Amino acid sequence: LDLGALKEAVTTFQEAAAQLNLQCSSDMDQYMDSCNEKLGLVERQFLSQEGLPGRKWFKHILQAPRLDLGYAAEAFPGIQQAIDEGNMTLGQEQVAVVVDCILSAADLLRPTEQELTVRHRREAAHQSGETSE
């Protein structure tokens, strides 16, 4: 399997999460509502509308019970199931599903245009010695 896109997507998500962490910790009063909303919604981005192969009722692409282990959780269950079955075509399809979900989650975490504008105004005011916007 080619996991290059998956590795890149995870890195993109990590960068977006770091940006959100910086934003939320730098000015909690300004961004508290936005941070809470993003953190509350990000998990939903890891759900696949189609569900897992052969188990459409399981929607989470990062973890789900294995087919043969009852409720024991498995990471990247669609990818792992395809590998276990020796179906690399399905495995690559599942990698693409996971990549799409992770990139959607990263997009959700990134600052909005409005948040960036406020941040740039504050930084400019700070650099010029002003104390208010």
Side-chain angles (χ1 to χ4, degrees), residues 20 23 30-31 33-35 38 108-121:
L20 181 67
Q23 176 182 336
Q30 176 73 30
Y31 298 112
D33 290 341
S34 173
C35 292
K38 289 177 181 188
L108 177 76
L109 296 181
R110 285 195 185 93
T112 64
E113 289 298 319
Q114 181 180 3
E115 291 165 344
L116 289 173
T117 300
V118 169
R119 183 187 309 165
H120 292 313
R121 284 184 188 157

Side-chain angles (χ1 to χ4, degrees), residues 27-41:
D27 192 349
M28 186 56 88
D29 292 336
Q30 176 73 30
Y31 298 112
M32 183 183 302
D33 290 341
S34 173
C35 292
N36 283 337
E37 181 177 353
K38 289 177 181 188
L39 291 173
L41 294 175

Side-chain angles (χ1 to χ4, degrees), residues 12-99:
T12 299
F13 179 82
Q14 289 172 323
E15 291 168 353
Q19 283 181 323
L20 181 67
N21 183 45
L22 179 63
Q23 176 182 336
C24 294
S25 62
S26 68
D27 192 349
M28 186 56 88
D29 292 336
Q30 176 73 30
Y31 298 112
M32 183 183 302
D33 290 341
S34 173
C35 292
N36 283 337
E37 181 177 353
K38 289 177 181 188
L39 291 173
L41 294 175
V42 71
E43 186 74 17
R44 294 179 188 178
Q45 304 307 308
F46 299 121
L47 301 177
S48 167
Q49 293 291 72
E50 298 81 29
L52 297 177
R55 301 179 286 166
K56 303 299 181 194
W57 53 92
F58 285 114
K59 305 284 186 184
H60 207 288
I61 55 93
L62 297 183
Q63 53 81 29
R66 282 186 58 125
L67 282 172
D68 57 349
L69 292 179
Y71 289 104
E74 173 174 65
F76 301 111
I79 298 170
Q80 186 61 53
Q81 180 180 335
I83 291 170
D84 292 346
E85 294 172 358
N87 187 341
M88 295 306 119
T89 300
L90 178 61
Q92 203 62 57
E93 290 169 3
Q94 288 299 299
V95 168
V97 169
V98 171
V99 166

